[in-house]
Amino acid sequence: MCYEVMSETVMTMTTATATSTTASAASTTASTDSTGSPSTSAATRPSAGSRRPLDWRLRFGFLSLIWGFSFLLIKVGTESYAPFQVTLGRLAFGTAVLAVAIAVKRERLPRGARTWAHLTVAALLLNALPFSLFAYAELTIPSTLAGICNATSPLWGMALSVVALSEDRPTRVRVAGLGLGFLGVLTVLGAWQGFSGLDARGTALALLASLSYPVGWIYLRRTLAGSGGSPLSMTGAQLFLATLQLAVVTPLFTTFPTRFPVLPLLAIAALGALGTGLALLIQYGLVAEVGPTTAQMVTYFIPVIATAAGVALLGESLTWSTPVGAVIVLAGAALTQLRDRA
């Protein structure tokens, strides 16, 4: 969601690990067909008593819904709780889900002061900062606009990678996608009308949140890529550190609630347990089964679902420029992800 691309959140760092793990498992257990699904040869066909995993398309759709509804849940949560409190609750519930998964799989937490130091920075850039910025943004902008701003992360990522990653050189198509994507942003914001009726501060915070994700991805790629740590344990540790960061900051800038409205509290719990914890577990399963390229396509469904949820359930207004601009943004983002076949 918020890629929460997270996302959706350490995909860049874990792609190599997940891919190598998948290849190793495939070589020792079962072959796969061209779609990434297990082949049905006699040697690899599951027995009648074995449990088949839920079809990856259903999990893909469920993940899209979870992250798409995250912006609505943020909006509901901030109606009764301070943005920092919403973020702290989100991280706490998400960490709890991953802690259970780590315990069940008996995985070890990362080791080494260097690794934990880098994860602390990643926790700030990929979790604590963008989650808080989106929560503050939605105090003054609709959840639909926040969801569309989130879709600009691939655009920021492509622009930053040109500067920070020497091996990631742009092609003409990707540069065109970058320009097209930001044209879509201007369309969503109604630039030809002088941005009238737009809360500049809230929109800037949402765009800054979407910028924080690729900064974090690039940082992880340059510091922890190929470290050999388990993606699950690394992300669990990262969320735990982000929770600690918010646990320190929240009391300094907010007052303890005197009452606890149930609906916003449930929204925060769902945002953390489903939109952060469970969503990451589903994402890792998709990466391992169908590969990172297919798994990351969920990014393009998030703003569509966020817009539909905001309009249908929260009664947010929608002008023609919002869906048209969103389509342009997604088209540009898709072009920036294209790579040369070589």
Side-chain angles (χ1 to χ4, degrees):
M1 137 220 104
C2 321
Y3 181 79
E4 246 295 66
V5 210
M6 280 211 10
S7 26
E8 116 141 182
T9 52
V10 292
M11 175 69 78
T12 301
M13 180 190 71
T14 60
T15 294
T17 304
T19 304
S20 62
T21 302
T22 304
S24 176
S27 65
T28 58
T29 56
S31 60
T32 57
D33 58 23
S34 59
T35 64
S37 304
S39 62
T40 56
S41 63
T44 61
R45 187 182 298 113
S47 61
S50 63
R51 296 179 61 184
R52 289 176 175 269
L54 190 65
D55 186 87
W56 73 267
R57 296 171 185 83
L58 295 178
R59 284 178 281 140
F60 183 96
F62 185 56
L63 182 60
S64 302
L65 287 174
I66 292 176
W67 276 341
F69 270 86
S70 292
F71 298 96
L72 179 147
L73 295 174
I74 292 173
K75 192 73 171 180
V76 175
T78 53
E79 290 178 353
S80 301
Y81 298 96
F84 275 141
Q85 294 169 347
V86 172
T87 304
L88 176 59
R90 173 185 187 175
L91 288 169
F93 281 107
T95 301
V97 171
L98 290 189
V100 172
I102 291 172
V104 169
K105 294 188 176 183
R106 299 181 179 180
E107 294 195 3
R108 294 182 177 181
L109 290 176
R111 296 182 178 181
R114 175 183 174 276
T115 298
W116 281 91
H118 288 313
L119 285 176
T120 299
V121 177
L124 173 65
L125 295 175
L126 289 171
N127 303 114
L129 180 60
F131 290 2
S132 299
L133 288 175
F134 271 120
Y136 271 102
E138 291 199 41
L139 291 176
T140 55
I141 67 173
S143 63
T144 54
L145 179 56
I148 294 172
C149 288
N150 180 77
T152 63
S153 283
L155 304 178
W156 297 117
M158 186 265 178
L160 290 174
S161 66
V162 173
V163 178
L165 301 174
S166 58
E167 72 276 13
D168 193 8
R169 294 302 180 185
T171 63
R172 292 181 180 178
V173 173
R174 297 182 67 199
V175 172
L178 183 65
L180 182 64
F182 284 113
L183 176 62
V185 173
L186 294 177
T187 303
V188 171
L189 301 182
W192 65 91
Q193 298 175 340
F195 307 105
S196 61
L198 180 71
D199 184 83
R201 178 176 176 273
T203 305
L205 290 177
L207 290 173
L208 185 60
S210 68
L211 171 62
S212 182
Y213 288 125
V215 172
W217 295 333
I218 292 174
Y219 177 83
L220 281 177
R221 183 170 173 179
R222 294 176 70 94
T223 58
L224 290 177
S227 62
S230 161
L232 177 58
S233 64
M234 296 282 276
T235 306
Q238 179 183 307
L239 284 184
F240 172 71
L241 291 170
T243 304
L244 290 182
Q245 292 170 358
L246 262 294
V248 172
V249 171
T250 301
L252 300 177
F253 295 94
T254 65
T255 57
F256 193 79
T258 57
R259 62 189 188 90
F260 298 87
V262 176
L263 182 59
L265 189 59
L266 290 176
I268 295 173
L271 181 64
L274 299 178
T276 303
L278 180 60
L280 286 174
L281 295 178
I282 295 174
Q283 184 192 41
Y284 288 138
L286 288 174
V287 170
E289 184 172 346
V290 299
T293 301
T294 300
Q296 74 176 358
M297 291 298 292
V298 70
T299 304
Y300 305 113
F301 291 87
I302 294 174
V304 177
I305 296 173
T307 300
V311 172
L313 300 179
L314 296 180
E316 296 177 347
S317 60
L318 186 68
T319 61
W320 69 267
S321 61
T322 300
V324 171
V327 171
I328 299 174
V329 168
L330 294 177
L335 290 177
T336 63
Q337 302 308 300
L338 294 179
R339 298 290 192 276
D340 291 333
R341 290 184 177 273

